[in-house]
Amino acid sequence: MITSSEFVISSPDVTLCPKSDLPEYAFIGRSNVGKSSLINMLCHDPHLAKTSQKPGKTLLINHFLIHSLVTADNKTRTEQNWHLVDLPGYGFAQTGQQQREELRRMIERYCLGREELINLFVLVDCRLAPQKIDLEFMEWLGENEVPFSIVFTKADKVGKGRLSENVGNYKLKLKENWEELPPIFLTSAETNMGRDELTEYIETINASLK
C-alpha cells in the first residue's frame, strides 16, 4: 500500500536523473492517454503529477519518491521505498519535428541507459483499436530487452463487453509477433480500477529484489 509520495526532480536527460539504489518504475504512453491521472490515482494524490487538457505537456523525466507499507502473512509490516518515473508521452502530432526527435532520443536513452529501471508500464487507451505507434514502441522494447507491462487506461469509458473485445483484439494483434505476452492491467483513474493490482505487482517485484 502506497502511504506517501513526493516530487524529487525533473531531468532533461537520463544523465541528470538522481543517483540512487532504489528500484524504479516508469510510466509512458501516447499523449492524452491519461498518464498523469493514472499516476495520481495510483499514489492517492490528485495533485502529484500535473494533468492538463492539452496533451504533450510532460517534456522532462519526472522522478517521484514513493513510500509503501507492505504487510506479509497478515502480520509482518515492511517499508519499501522506490521511484516512480513519469516519462514524456510520444506521438503528439502538434509537437514540432525537432522536439519530437529530442523526446524520442530522451526516452530511448532513459530506457536503455537507466540501470535502476525495473519495469516500464506502457499505457494504452482501451477505447481504441491497436495503434501502430504503440505496437512499434513495444516491439522496440522487446528487441532491446526492456522489461515492460501493458496498462489499459480509461476502462470506465466503455462497457464491459466492449472492453473485453478491445483488449482481446489487442492481444490477438500482439500474438502475431509475441510468443508470450507481457503482464496486462486494466485501469480507470476515475473509479480506482486496477490500483491494487498495479501496487501489488510493484511491491511483489520489490520484495523479490532483496
Side-chain angles (χ1 to χ4, degrees), residues 10 25 37 39 42 49 55 67 70 81 95 97 99 103 125 148-149 151 155 177 182 194 204:
S10 293
Y25 299 85
S37 296
I39 290 173
L42 186 66
H67 305 280
V70 182
N81 295 323
T95 304
Q97 178 63 34
Q99 188 176 60
L103 290 176
D125 190 332
F148 74 96
S149 305
V151 178
N177 296 316
T204 298

Side-chain angles (χ1 to χ4, degrees), residues 2 53 55 59 66 77 88 90 98 105-106 112 114 122-123 137 162 179 183:
I2 294 176
Q53 295 300 314
L59 302 176
I66 309 299
R77 308 187 81 183
Y90 53 81
Q98 181 178 348
R105 288 197 298 266
M106 177 197 296
L112 299 180
R114 186 64 172 169
V122 181
L123 276 56
F137 181 63
R162 178 72 179 277
E179 293 183 1

